[in-house]
Amino acid sequence: MKKYMVCFILIFLFCSVSAQNSKPTIYSIIPLPQHINEVAGKPFVFSSTTKISFPKNDKNLEQIAVFLSEYIQIATGIKVQITDSPSSKNTIELQSNFKNKNGEAYKFTVDNNKISINGASSGGTFYGVQLLRKVLMISNEKFQIKLPQVEIVDYPRFGYRGMMLDVARHFAPIDFVKKFIDILALHNINTFHWHLTDDQGWRIEIKKYPKLTEIGSKRSETIIGKSKNEYDGKPHGGFYTQNEIKEIVEYAQKRYINVIPEIDLPGHMMAALASYPELGCAGKDYEVRKKWGVSDDVLCVGNENTFKFLESVFEELVPLFPSKYFHIGGDECPKKSWKNCPKCQSKILELGLKRDGKHTAEEKLQSYCIGRVEKFLNSKGKKIIGWDEILEGGIAPNATIMSWRSFQGGIEAAKQGHDAIMTPSSHVYFDHYQGKDTNLEPLAIGGYTSLERVYSFEPIPEVLNSEERKHIIGAQANVWREYMPTTDYVEYMILPRLAALSEVLWTEPEKKNYPIFLNRLANFLPVYDELKFNYAKNILEVSSHYTIDTENSRLILDLKTSSKNPIYYTLDGSVPTINSEKYKENISIKKSVTVKAAVISEKQKNKVFEQSFEFNKATLKPVVLKNQPVERYRFNGANTLVDGRIGTMVFSTGDWIGLFNENFEAVVDLKSIQEVTKVSVNTFISPNDWIFGPKQFIIFLSDDGLNFTQVYNKDIEMAMQGDNAKILNLKANFVSQNARYIKIVAPINEKIPQWHYAAGKPTFLFVDEIVVN
């Protein structure tokens, strides 16, 4: 009997502890702290007598105390006193002597008399203050806030937690740059990557080269939207003086944010070439670029004056930026001008650079350029970061790789013993759309990076061993501003996705849970409102998830929202109202239908979610692919091709599948022999994104799935230079035949054509809905 009683008690205690650990708490802010232990006892009560204390002569903690005082006043209206004298009653005590191997760690404790925030450094204390700030701002009470007793030990998972802002495509005034830094601080981001130069503008004063700002900081006009040749006729410009740079760097340092400047080279240099044409291979007729994309004109690496220019630029920048890292770009540098440049070809001969099985001589010339710049910056006590293209031709000796095209660049760097920062465009490019219905979203460069996709981001690839994993020092998100002319636009594109990223970079992965995160984020959004941040409200609107049941030929649609208000929907294409069907359970779809849904309350109605499902003989039937899509564009795999949803002009929303350097071949099982006269499939073409479609469209039919007869074959013309993105419907009409199995073959165009900046590289092939009639 005693044994049974002991077991019962142990089970009871375990359940109690589990319940306590899973219980929502006011301290479960974003990013989620590592260890929260609420304890019994009277709460700490904020009042007009509350004080903030810090150690005498500690200027760092004094500054943090000033910040905290401001935060408390914004959150509660209470103005608290700051003191360097110890106090034992109703005090917030700041310290920086917490013993922890992580320098950004902190211990946060609350009892009825005192809140103690003790960092392993002043930076750790700053993050503890951010926790308190957020707790106060999400509290339902304002003038008498009571905080339960708690013990929190917290620290970041990664030492590098970054966010990049592009000010070259569209200039950002200094006040917004400070606001951007404030947004980063709120989310425990500790690195501000500042993209200062590009083809469309040079944004930093260089005293030795005044034309960089006199000429290079201004473009005569800007292309409108995604048009080919329509411009706004309005000059655009702006730059930061060196004194303004110092002001921004100091502002960031006070918020424990490191500022890394980026001077992108040897490509993306049209603004510099327009200012000093002698630095280019042609030596004349350059202008600050008025449109987006990649220019063939780059720095002439065979010209010794190019390196004198670069060294002089960095000579002036080194004193302005205390960061140990300087970013030197290295991405998207076409080699066309080097191939035709006598100076560059002479330099290739001088260096003995030769094409091998992996790299061209021109790629090795870029490696020479990057290595030489690295050597100079190393002599100034700096380390370089470069985009993953600097791996091509051989990596510079001490370079850190910023892996953007995929995870592969970071993997290769780590395996070679180099540090890497993960920033894959598939997960953390915040210039992508964040809502599936792009008609309801502001114009974006393309792509689709949802909040959930950001939250799913795991910076350390499983393929790395324990030693190699140490080289993944962190990750960051990027906001490229081709289509973001205003600063409120920038805020909308980064928030709340930055909240998801902050938890990826701070919180241990086993503690992450997306549905719970959404609940916490819904409670966190009032912080954005209070601080007057412009943010996307997608999580408060309707989103969808669907599963395909090929066995029963039905699609199961699940609608969800983080709003506390109900969802109403219709299936007849009409706009839902409060009198429409209230969503309570999954919707089973077995025929063509248009679903419309919205979160509706008596006071408010949000954006209307709309999704059409168009059925044909292939819809919801089993499909087998010979070659699998790449992970980034796999989504629901083969089922994506028969889900009744027609892909739109945004190729990464989950409506398309994408193959890379692989042919498309699919077999659809109609489940019975049926009459077939027509088979069609859509392919997406976007040369700028390396997506070129197939070179042929071939259809085979079969009764048994083993013996196939070809019934259609057509060659497809490859996209030409200047072609815009488009959807191409491949349609096969043939004499009526009976068949159960349909085989669709679409061989890929193997290489990108010579006119493209990535000539010779493999291509992508995107395919969507298979229609059989």
Side-chain angles (χ1 to χ4, degrees):
M1 188 65 180
K2 287 181 180 178
K3 289 181 181 179
Y4 288 121
M5 287 298 293
V6 169
C7 289
F8 174 79
I9 291 169
L10 288 174
I11 292 170
F12 174 78
L13 289 172
F14 175 78
C15 293
S16 299
V17 171
S18 298
Q20 181 179 341
N21 289 342
S22 63
K23 180 183 64 175
T25 167
I26 192 172
Y27 298 110
S28 295
I29 49 91
I30 294 173
L32 184 66
Q34 307 289 9
H35 305 286
I36 304 173
N37 181 32
E38 286 197 15
V39 295
K42 293 181 180 179
F44 179 93
V45 181
F46 274 85
S47 71
S48 57
T49 63
T50 301
K51 295 180 180 179
I52 303 171
S53 73
F54 63 92
K56 281 186 178 180
N57 303 318
D58 192 324
K59 295 299 181 184
N60 290 331
L61 292 189
E62 182 179 8
Q63 177 62 69
I64 293 172
V66 171
F67 285 147
L68 179 55
S69 176
E70 294 169 355
Y71 298 154
I72 292 172
Q73 189 162 14
I74 290 171
T76 69
I78 300 172
K79 186 169 181 59
V80 298
Q81 181 183 344
I82 298 172
T83 177
D84 61 3
S85 300
S87 179
S88 60
K89 191 172 182 180
N90 205 239
T91 301
I92 305 169
E93 180 185 68
L94 304 183
Q95 295 285 343
S96 59
N97 54 23
F98 176 49
K99 301 299 180 186
N100 194 289
K101 62 182 180 180
N102 190 318
E104 295 179 296
Y106 65 90
K107 186 175 184 180
F108 183 100
T109 58
V110 177
D111 62 31
N112 65 318
N113 285 317
K114 183 171 67 176
I115 297 174
S116 172
I117 306 175
N118 190 4
S121 66
S122 55
T125 309
F126 180 79
Y127 294 119
V129 164
Q130 293 304 310
L131 179 143
L132 178 57
R133 171 194 190 186
K134 287 176 268 196
V135 167
L136 295 177
M137 292 190 78
I138 65 176
S139 172
N140 292 324
E141 301 294 331
K142 286 296 177 186
F143 296 103
Q144 193 180 36
I145 296 178
K146 298 179 180 180
L147 295 188
Q149 294 200 22
V150 74
E151 294 177 357
I152 295 173
V153 174
D154 197 16
Y155 48 84
R157 180 186 178 198
F158 290 102
Y160 184 106
R161 306 181 300 282
M163 182 76 204
M164 186 279 289
L165 176 66
D166 168 17
V167 297
R169 274 52 179 261
H170 284 99
F171 180 69
I174 192 168
D175 286 346
F176 176 72
V177 177
K178 289 180 178 179
K179 185 177 184 180
F180 188 82
I181 290 168
D182 288 336
I183 292 172
L184 303 192
L186 178 72
H187 294 86
N188 295 17
I189 301 299
N190 68 356
T191 304
F192 169 35
H193 170 183
W194 204 357
H195 186 79
L196 289 163
T197 67
D198 217 298
D199 291 327
Q200 294 80 14
W202 184 283
R203 303 294 178 213
I204 184 167
E205 176 190 23
I206 302 297
K207 293 177 180 178
K208 188 172 181 177
Y209 295 96
K211 290 181 183 178
L212 288 172
T213 46
E214 291 170 4
I215 297 172
S217 69
K218 306 164 189 173
R219 60 177 180 265
S220 59
E221 56 186 351
T222 303
I223 196 163
I224 296 174
K226 295 189 177 181
S227 64
K228 291 177 71 174
N229 291 301
E230 188 179 356
Y231 294 85
D232 63 7
K234 300 174 183 177
H236 180 85
F239 69 93
Y240 308 100
T241 67
Q242 293 192 6
N243 283 335
E244 287 173 327
I245 293 290
K246 291 176 184 176
E247 182 182 339
I248 288 292
V249 170
E250 182 182 1
Y251 188 88
Q253 284 178 319
K254 287 180 179 179
R255 289 151 182 84
Y256 294 86
I257 291 173
N258 180 40
V259 182
I260 297 177
E262 181 185 356
I263 305 297
D264 203 346
L265 64 97
H268 290 281
M269 271 282 176
M270 281 294 289
L273 296 181
S275 307
Y276 296 93
E278 65 272 18
L279 298 176
C281 293
K284 60 181 180 178
D285 299 330
Y286 301 117
E287 68 172 346
V288 180
R289 193 170 170 89
K290 301 182 293 185
K291 59 183 179 181
W292 318 128
V294 178
S295 171
D296 285 335
D297 291 308
V298 301
L299 290 176
C300 179
V301 179
N303 184 351
E304 194 60 26
N305 287 328
T306 294
F307 292 99
K308 291 179 182 178
F309 165 77
L310 292 173
E311 289 175 4
S312 296
V313 167
F314 286 119
E315 193 81 54
E316 292 192 30
L317 295 185
V318 164
L320 300 178
F321 295 95
S323 170
K324 70 177 181 179
Y325 290 115
F326 268 46
H327 201 303
I328 62 168
D331 63 314
E332 296 176 328
C333 179
K335 312 301 188 291
K336 185 176 180 180
S337 62
W338 292 353
K339 289 178 180 178
N340 301 316
C341 173
K343 289 181 180 179
C344 290
Q345 290 303 309
S346 176
K347 178 61 70 174
I348 286 172
L349 288 173
E350 176 191 328
L351 297 172
L353 305 178
K354 296 181 180 180
R355 185 186 190 100
D356 57 29
K358 297 181 76 174
H359 304 295
T360 65
E362 287 75 23
E363 286 175 335
K364 292 181 178 180
L365 184 63
Q366 173 164 332
S367 182
Y368 160 76
C369 172
I370 297 297
R372 187 162 167 181
V373 172
E374 182 195 40
K375 186 175 181 180
F376 176 80
L377 284 169
N378 286 169
S379 74
K380 301 296 180 181
K382 304 296 183 181
K383 295 181 177 181
I384 69 163
I385 298 174
W387 301 107
D388 56 50
E389 284 96 330
I390 71 170
L391 286 163
E392 298 167 0
I395 188 172
N398 303 303
T400 295
I401 296 299
M402 191 164 274
S403 189
W404 74 276
R405 289 179 294 182
S406 68
F407 290 85
Q408 193 57 40
I411 292 169
E412 289 180 22
K415 286 184 176 293
Q416 294 182 39
H418 287 264
D419 286 347
I421 299 160
M422 291 299 194
T423 180
S425 58
S426 57
H427 290 77
V428 286
Y429 264 44
F430 289 177
D431 52 333
H432 291 178
Y433 288 105
Q434 54 190 318
K436 276 191 176 183
D437 190 344
T438 56
N439 294 320
L440 300 176
E441 291 290 316
L443 181 65
I445 196 169
Y448 171 61
T449 304
S450 66
L451 184 73
E452 184 171 9
R453 188 154 181 82
V454 177
Y455 197 78
S456 72
F457 175 39
E458 172 45 54
I460 300 180
E462 290 185 2
V463 297
L464 298 179
N465 64 36
S466 59
E467 279 303 308
E468 292 164 347
R469 290 179 176 219
K470 294 176 183 176
H471 287 292
I472 309 299
I473 62 173
Q476 74 173 39
N478 299 324
V479 55
W480 302 103
R481 293 189 57 208
E482 287 93 336
Y483 301 98
M484 299 181 214
T486 63
T487 56
D488 62 333
Y489 208 144
V490 175
E491 292 176 39
Y492 179 90
M493 296 300 280
I494 68 174
L495 298 175
R497 289 187 285 194
L498 186 57
L501 179 66
S502 74
E503 197 143 297
V504 168
L505 299 179
W506 186 276
T507 307
E508 294 294 345
E510 62 270 16
K511 294 182 172 65
K512 288 171 54 188
N513 180 295
Y514 185 65
I516 294 176
F517 167 77
L518 283 180
N519 291 335
R520 289 186 288 114
L521 181 58
N523 294 329
F524 189 71
L525 293 181
V527 175
Y528 294 161
D529 293 324
E530 185 75 30
L531 297 174
K532 295 180 171 54
F533 294 162
N534 186 34
Y535 63 94
K537 299 175 176 62
N538 303 66
I539 70 161
L540 300 177
E541 295 158 1
V542 177
S543 63
S544 66
H545 176 76
Y546 70 94
T547 53
I548 290 178
D549 180 3
T550 56
E551 191 70 29
N552 297 299
S553 295
R554 65 172 184 157
L555 186 144
I556 303 167
L557 180 66
D558 177 30
L559 303 179
K560 53 188 176 181
T561 180
S562 292
S563 171
K564 295 178 173 60
N565 295 317
I567 296 172
Y568 294 87
Y569 72 96
T570 64
L571 299 177
D572 59 3
S574 63
V575 177
T577 68
I578 203 164
N579 297 317
S580 301
E581 188 77 18
K582 190 174 183 179
Y583 179 77
K584 296 178 181 177
E585 58 184 3
N586 295 337
I587 302 169
S588 180
I589 297 174
K590 292 188 174 183
K591 61 181 181 179
S592 296
V593 69
T594 295
V595 180
K596 290 188 177 182
V599 175
I600 303 175
S601 66
E602 291 183 359
K603 295 181 180 179
Q604 185 178 2
K605 177 181 174 181
N606 288 326
K607 292 178 185 176
V608 175
F609 163 88
E610 180 176 348
Q611 180 65 64
S612 294
F613 298 92
E614 299 179 14
F615 279 51
N616 64 84
K617 290 184 178 182
T619 306
L620 306 182
K621 298 301 192 299
V623 183
V624 176
L625 292 174
K626 182 177 180 180
N627 299 312
Q628 293 303 312
V630 293
E631 188 278 333
R632 176 178 174 184
Y633 301 117
R634 185 166 299 162
F635 304 110
N636 286 321
N639 285 338
T640 307
L641 302 171
V642 291
D643 61 7
R645 304 188 308 162
I646 307 300
T648 67
M649 287 293 290
V650 182
F651 60 85
S652 55
T653 59
D655 296 331
W656 299 87
I657 59 169
L659 295 94
F660 182 67
N661 203 25
E662 297 269 17
N663 295 330
F664 173 77
E665 183 174 318
V667 176
V668 182
D669 179 3
L670 300 181
K671 301 178 93 172
S672 64
I673 294 177
Q674 300 183 40
E675 181 184 8
V676 179
T677 61
K678 184 188 300 182
V679 176
S680 68
V681 67
N682 285 341
T683 184
F684 183 79
I685 297 172
S686 179
N688 194 52
D689 296 299
W690 300 22
I691 306 171
F692 282 87
K695 61 184 179 181
Q696 281 181 293
F697 180 50
I698 312 168
I699 304 298
F700 300 84
L701 302 181
S702 171
D703 292 341
D704 58 9
L706 299 173
N707 301 295
F708 284 87
T709 302
Q710 181 178 309
V711 295
Y712 186 86
N713 188 337
K714 183 180 180 180
D715 293 335
I716 310 297
E717 288 187 5
M718 196 174 193
M720 304 295 288
Q721 187 172 7
D723 284 357
N724 285 335
K726 63 181 179 181
I727 296 172
L728 181 64
N729 179 242
L730 305 176
K731 188 180 297 183
N733 294 304
F734 43 84
V735 176
S736 175
Q737 299 192 42
N738 293 324
R740 172 173 173 174
Y741 298 92
I742 317 293
K743 181 189 286 187
I744 303 166
V745 178
I748 198 168
N749 284 292
E750 291 90 352
K751 294 186 182 298
I752 294 175
Q754 285 303 308
W755 54 260
H756 197 277
Y757 73 89
K761 301 287 186 184
T763 70
F764 283 95
L765 172 60
F766 275 73
V767 184
D768 183 37
E769 207 63 16
I770 296 171
V771 176
V772 177
N773 288 310

